Amino acid sequence: MDYTTSNQYCGDATWEVTVDGTANGSANLVLANTGVIPGAYNKVTVDAKGRVTAGNNDITAKSFSVTANETLTHNFGTYQVKVFMLDSVTNYPAYTRWKANTANTINIEFDVLPINPIIITIEPVL
């Protein structure tokens, strides 16, 4: 029997297989692109079919408690940052030096170590 047929399916995925009757046919199912760039995201949007249709990495402030000179790591890259420092007991502003070390770290430097832990908040300027 000489019989050739081609089946195509498309939509959210495409699949095409051709069989001529002499052997089983098989082909890969190819999912349609959603437009999201491959990568890791901390926030995603999912459609009714369970596909990720959008993703972003929200940048939010990070807080630390320090009692000595320390290097703090954040994920703000090349954004400008604001640094807030408060005494954890009195809630009064704390004054000390800080400087950017790399795109994702800052150094906190005390001339005199604080009596109470200092709450340091790093916030991106968006």
Side-chain angles (χ1 to χ4, degrees), residues 49-89:
K49 295 180 181 179
R51 298 173 300 187
V52 173
T53 57
N56 66 41
N57 289 316
D58 285 343
I59 298 176
T60 58
K62 295 188 84 153
S63 292
F64 306 86
S65 177
V66 299
T67 57
N69 295 345
E70 197 167 332
T71 298
L72 306 178
T73 302
H74 58 80
N75 63 343
F76 305 140
T78 57
Y79 283 100
Q80 289 183 335
V81 295
K82 292 181 183 178
V83 178
F84 303 95
M85 297 181 239
L86 293 175
D87 183 295
S88 64
V89 175

Side-chain angles (χ1 to χ4, degrees), residues 26-41:
S26 67
N28 291 328
L29 177 74
V30 179
L31 294 174
N33 288 331
T34 63
V36 177
I37 297 170
Y41 298 95

Side-chain angles (χ1 to χ4, degrees), residues 7-125:
N7 294 306
Q8 283 186 328
Y9 301 95
C10 58
D12 292 336
T14 57
W15 181 68
E16 180 178 357
V17 64
T18 301
V19 274
D20 64 9
T22 62
N24 291 332
S26 67
N28 291 328
L29 177 74
V30 179
L31 294 174
N33 288 331
T34 63
V36 177
I37 297 170
Y41 298 95
N42 63 18
K43 189 174 187 179
V44 296
T45 302
V46 179
D47 70 8
K49 295 180 181 179
R51 298 173 300 187
V52 173
T53 57
N56 66 41
N57 289 316
D58 285 343
I59 298 176
T60 58
K62 295 188 84 153
S63 292
F64 306 86
S65 177
V66 299
T67 57
N69 295 345
E70 197 167 332
T71 298
L72 306 178
T73 302
H74 58 80
N75 63 343
F76 305 140
T78 57
Y79 283 100
Q80 289 183 335
V81 295
K82 292 181 183 178
V83 178
F84 303 95
M85 297 181 239
L86 293 175
D87 183 295
S88 64
V89 175
T90 65
N91 282 330
Y92 289 141
Y95 299 100
T96 189
R97 289 186 313 279
W98 70 272
K99 64 180 178 180
N101 188 27
T102 68
N104 287 316
T105 62
I106 65 170
N107 289 339
I108 303 297
E109 299 172 350
F110 294 98
D111 288 328
V112 177
L113 295 181
I115 296 170
N116 302 317
I118 303 298
I119 303 301
I120 299 177
T121 302
I122 306 170
E123 180 179 285
V125 178

